[in-house]
Amino acid sequence: MPLSTHAAPFARLALANITREYPNFPAHLITSPDERLAPRSLHPAFYGAYDWHSSVHMHWLLVRLLRRHGGTPALPDTAQAVAVLDRHLTRDNAAAEASYLRDRPSFERPYGWAWLLVLAAECRALQDESGARWAEALEPAVAAVDELLADWLPKATYPVRHGNHPNSAFALGLALDSGELSPATGRAVRERLLAWFADDHDAPAHWEPSGQDFLSPALSEADAMRRVLPKDGFAAWLDRFLPALRSGAPCPPLDVPVVSDHADPQIGHLLGLTLSRAAALRSLADALPDGPARGRLDEAADAHLAAGLPAVERGDFTTDHWLATFAALALDPVELR
């Protein structure tokens, strides 16, 4: 199913959410009674969509839709999207976001950082006057993320492996996809992924999913390694890491999760798991030669996508503020370079 089928409703969701200031969940440490705490004061570009990272990746979604389908019957009216992005993605706003990041070096590390890089890359890939303007405006924030990553990676002795925002593999994989990192930081990301994961084997996939995962620890790690290993080396690594794939034994990350309450903010994360898994499963399948393992991955990707897509637009802000982004990843993986 192509992204074009969902372009118009996804764009409406993105626009509604990135311009919605409240309710808001700021991850902000208050250090003075004199601080201005309104979301627009803290984050002039990314004040909407409930939290900072969701605002950033819903901006990405909007730019992605413009790049893929702007001016086509799938997305006929682009003027409102361009106007909103012009208001948000200015040099002054991005400089304020960069200053906030530098002052709080663990804020949104590494998930929000990665989405900011991918947003900037998507703007650049738009290849028109608007995209160039937004990409240039975001340069101060991109530079801040690059510096913060370069400073953090040597200290990141151990990866975060659970299925929520701090997951190391998912974010660093996105950062590499962006192509926005400086050469030195890009090398450092690749080296850290290899140091963390190259020797891993027999992933505890039977532990998945946890009750509020929106990422699969096993599949996120495998998808990161897909990006840094040669194709034949990756296939051999995956055999060691998830041996059940080739043997045909049960492999829980291939099974669609049960979501008992779509409106619960934490249980509802499992809806995102269906879609993030769909994206990772498809990418992993495409990295393997034809055979039983690839077939199982493709079949599981289809099942996860079918389970997750109906929940994307429900009229419930709990999921509407973020889920469409992961649907877009599943329908149209990030490929920018």
Side-chain angles (χ1 to χ4, degrees):
M1 184 182 300
L3 179 59
S4 59
T5 305
H6 303 276
F10 283 10
R12 286 194 298 271
L13 277 174
L15 278 167
N17 282 289
I18 65 175
T19 56
R20 180 174 178 173
E21 189 169 4
Y22 298 102
N24 199 287
F25 188 75
H28 178 77
L29 177 65
I30 301 171
T31 59
S32 163
D34 302 321
E35 290 186 48
R36 298 173 63 196
L37 300 178
R40 286 177 192 256
S41 298
L42 297 174
H43 299 296
F46 305 120
Y47 60 83
Y50 188 69
D51 49 34
W52 193 86
H53 53 260
S54 298
S55 183
V56 174
H57 64 61
M58 290 295 266
H59 278 77
W60 169 82
L61 173 62
L62 196 55
V63 178
R64 181 70 157 189
L65 293 170
L66 287 173
R67 180 161 82 92
R68 293 299 204 211
H69 305 295
T72 72
L75 196 69
D77 183 11
T78 62
Q80 184 183 7
V82 171
V84 169
L85 291 166
D86 273 340
R87 289 201 303 271
H88 289 191
L89 303 183
T90 68
R91 190 90 178 180
D92 286 348
N93 286 352
E97 299 286 0
S99 177
Y100 189 97
L101 292 171
R102 285 195 171 97
D103 288 345
R104 299 160 182 85
S106 63
F107 175 74
E108 292 285 358
R109 183 181 73 198
Y111 180 80
W113 294 358
W115 277 114
L116 193 143
L117 294 172
V118 173
L119 168 60
E122 197 70 53
C123 292
R124 201 176 311 283
L126 188 56
Q127 294 186 336
D128 67 7
E129 183 180 342
S130 296
R133 183 167 64 250
W134 302 330
E136 182 181 2
L138 286 168
E139 285 174 359
V142 169
V145 168
D146 191 278
E147 293 166 18
L148 290 165
L149 258 177
D151 182 64
W152 170 64
L153 286 169
K155 300 180 285 190
T157 307
Y158 309 108
V160 175
R161 297 176 181 269
H162 64 64
N164 268 274
H165 306 91
N167 182 281
S168 303
F170 178 82
L172 294 193
L174 272 187
L176 288 177
D177 284 344
S178 76
E180 291 288 312
L181 295 172
S182 66
T185 305
R187 284 193 300 273
V189 167
R190 290 175 177 275
E191 289 167 2
R192 183 53 64 192
L193 287 171
L194 290 167
W196 283 336
F197 302 133
D199 294 332
D200 282 2
H201 56 88
D202 298 303
H206 59 286
W207 290 355
E208 296 192 28
S210 183
Q212 57 188 38
D213 283 352
F214 69 92
L215 301 168
S216 161
L219 297 180
S220 294
E221 178 177 337
D223 207 22
M225 293 302 284
R226 169 187 64 82
R227 294 163 165 104
V228 297
L229 289 173
K231 199 161 188 175
D232 55 347
F234 171 69
W237 180 90
L238 189 62
D239 275 348
R240 297 191 301 273
F241 186 65
L242 287 174
L245 272 181
R246 192 168 298 279
S247 71
C251 187
L254 305 187
D255 300 331
V256 176
V258 174
V259 188
S260 61
D261 184 353
H262 289 199
D264 184 282
Q266 299 304 323
I267 296 173
H269 271 181
L270 294 165
L271 294 168
L273 181 64
T274 65
L275 296 168
S276 69
R277 276 187 180 177
L281 289 161
R282 189 76 70 206
S283 294
L284 295 175
D286 289 347
L288 294 180
D290 289 338
R294 179 169 182 156
R296 292 185 75 190
L297 290 166
D298 275 328
E299 182 179 350
D302 290 341
H304 279 78
L305 185 61
L309 272 179
V312 170
E313 190 176 12
R314 300 174 53 247
D316 179 353
F317 190 57
T318 302
T319 51
D320 283 359
H321 79 272
W322 68 284
L323 201 55
T325 304
F326 284 85
L329 285 181
L331 292 164
D332 187 23
V334 173
E335 294 292 345
L336 293 163
R337 287 168 291 172

